[in-house]
Amino acid sequence: MNLPPLVQSFVLHFGEMGSRWGINRTVGQIYALLYVSPRPLCADDIVEALGVSRSNVSMGLRELQAWNLVLLRHIPDDRRDHFTTPDDVWQILRVLAEERKKREVDPTLSVLRELLMQTPGSEEERHAQARMAEMHGLIERLTTWYEDVKRLETERLAALLALGAKVTRLLEAKDKVVGLVRGKRES
Amino acid sequence: MNLPPLVQSFVLHFGEMGSRWGINRTVGQIYALLYVSPRPLCADDIVEALGVSRSNVSMGLRELQAWNLVLLRHIPDDRRDHFTTPDDVWQILRVLAEERKKREVDPTLSVLRELLMQTPGSEEERHAQARMAEMHGLIERLTTWYEDVKRLETERLAALLALGAKVTRLLEAKDKVVGLVRGKRES
DNA sequence: CATAGATTTCAGAAAATTCTGAAATCACGG
DNA sequence: CCGTGATTTCAGAATTTTCTGAAATCTATG
């Protein structure tokens, strides 16, 4: 590996974190490298930069494409494929959320649905099913909320984030106003 | 493994998903089993139910405790430790969010901070640092939002979730009201 | 349609992780 | 402070994942 120190530290860190994030070291490193690179890189650039085998890079890029985390770019007068990451970090966040949901949540949701359809054959199963229903309910709330906010344009999403817990104050204010209006109408 | 079919399916699913969630099969299975069990279980119950070695269960429980995902319970007149999961699913969600943040986000945040302190030695490093700054900015926004909402009581949190994207309408309404008040004052 | 370069596939090597059984440690009642 | 049962530790076995190099496949062009 032969990279500027700053870049190298970043790349190595992503490699180490890879396993915690559900990707392997090479995939993490490739992503990190593309993320900070000022221009699209081809597979051989990556081999050169990271010092891993060509085939490993090929597989890594393939996985990153499955995650929608890298983009294919064509450079004029060069037959080789070149790769970058989307440069809007919000876009990256969206993609990441979507993919993790797809891989980590959706399968469980569908198993839960299936198990909740079945008729329990004992008290123990009845209890288990009640617990599964609780889990299912929570996950469903979370995913519908997610489906909802993911449609927001970035600007609105950012505004919402910035608001943070202050939203509740807004909520209280709303409740008060609504209460007032109702009161008036009913008097 | 000898479990009621419903429970078994659930447990097996958690085992399979384990690797995607950053835990191993046994840990996933132990958690699932405790989650649906109507009473706290001791290590031997788990050995019996899952058909894995005693030592593996010991290690699994230890990891789940590190995650704050299981609770130690004492049963009168029984020397053995017994284990359960918290029964409020919202509580579980909070713990999960906290632990994943600690493991998957915080280390990166601190590496980024460190790298952003350094002085770039080349144009390439300067660009890399700018990209890191973008990433850092986004993560910081997300984590401060998270720190904010995690303090909300469950009821308020649920209300917020239920509101979903409709918050923006509330936001618009607020802007209008504020605008009105300002307009009045300035006229 | 032959060829050269680019890319992917895949079987097996290497590395990492998970799991086990035996031994060590702990903790408590007698 | 001994003995019994519960629990943990840990070295190595088993399994899984990751990585490599060689061969196969693809693709654009002359």
Side-chain angles (χ1 to χ4, degrees), chain A residues 3-7 9-10 13-14 17 19-22 31 34-39 85-90 92-93 100 102-105 107-109 111-112 115-116 118-122 124-132 134-135 138 141-142 144-145 148-149 152 156 158-168 170-172 174, chain B residues 3-7 9-10 13-14 17 19-22 31 34-39 85-90 92-93 100 102-105 107-109 111-112 115-116 118-122 124-132 134-135 138 141-142 144-145 148-149 152 156 158-168 170-172 174:
Chain A
L3 289 167
L6 261 171
V7 175
S9 304
F10 184 73
H13 174 74
F14 267 59
M17 294 300 284
S19 59
R20 297 197 190 180
W21 296 335
Y31 181 78
L34 292 176
Y35 178 80
V36 297
S37 171
R39 60 191 171 73
T85 59
D87 36 64
D88 176 10
V89 287
W90 289 89
I92 295 173
L93 175 67
R100 287 192 83 150
K102 197 159 69 190
R103 285 157 225 256
E104 301 182 9
V105 179
T108 299
L109 202 52
V111 166
L112 285 173
L115 295 179
L116 288 171
Q118 298 180 24
T119 337
S122 65
E124 206 177 334
E125 286 196 313
R126 213 201 47 70
H127 176 269
Q129 221 178 31
R131 291 292 278 159
M132 293 179 205
E134 287 183 61
M135 185 180 284
L138 179 64
R141 270 184 197 239
L142 291 171
T144 55
W145 174 81
D148 239 28
V149 301
L152 298 178
R156 278 190 185 292
L160 236 140
L161 277 191
L163 212 56
K166 293 196 210 67
V167 206
T168 48
L170 202 57
L171 259 177
E172 278 160 25
K174 186 206 90 178
Chain B
L3 289 168
L6 259 172
V7 174
S9 304
F10 183 72
H13 174 74
F14 266 59
M17 293 300 283
S19 60
R20 298 197 190 180
W21 296 336
Y31 181 78
L34 293 176
Y35 178 81
V36 297
S37 171
R39 59 189 172 74
T85 59
D87 38 63
D88 176 11
V89 287
W90 289 89
I92 295 173
L93 176 67
R100 288 192 83 151
K102 198 158 70 191
R103 285 158 224 260
E104 301 182 10
V105 179
T108 299
L109 202 52
V111 165
L112 284 173
L115 295 179
L116 288 171
Q118 298 181 23
T119 339
S122 64
E124 206 175 335
E125 287 196 313
R126 213 201 48 69
H127 177 269
Q129 222 179 30
R131 291 292 278 160
M132 293 179 204
E134 287 183 61
M135 185 179 285
L138 180 63
R141 269 183 199 239
L142 291 170
T144 55
W145 174 81
D148 239 28
V149 302
L152 297 178
R156 277 187 187 294
L160 239 147
L161 277 190
L163 211 57
K166 292 197 211 68
V167 205
T168 46
L170 201 57
L171 261 177
E172 278 160 25
K174 185 207 89 179

Side-chain angles (χ1 to χ4, degrees), chain A residues 14-30:
Chain A
F14 267 59
E16 283 160 19
M17 294 300 284
S19 59
R20 297 197 190 180
W21 296 335
I23 56 177
N24 67 37
R25 183 157 40 111
T26 312
V27 172
Q29 291 186 351
I30 294 174

Side-chain angles (χ1 to χ4, degrees), chain A residues 54-67:
Chain A
R54 184 51 236 270
S55 52
N56 198 2
V57 168
S58 178
M59 283 168 150
L61 285 169
R62 160 172 279 274
E63 182 166 355
L64 285 169
Q65 282 176 289
W67 276 85

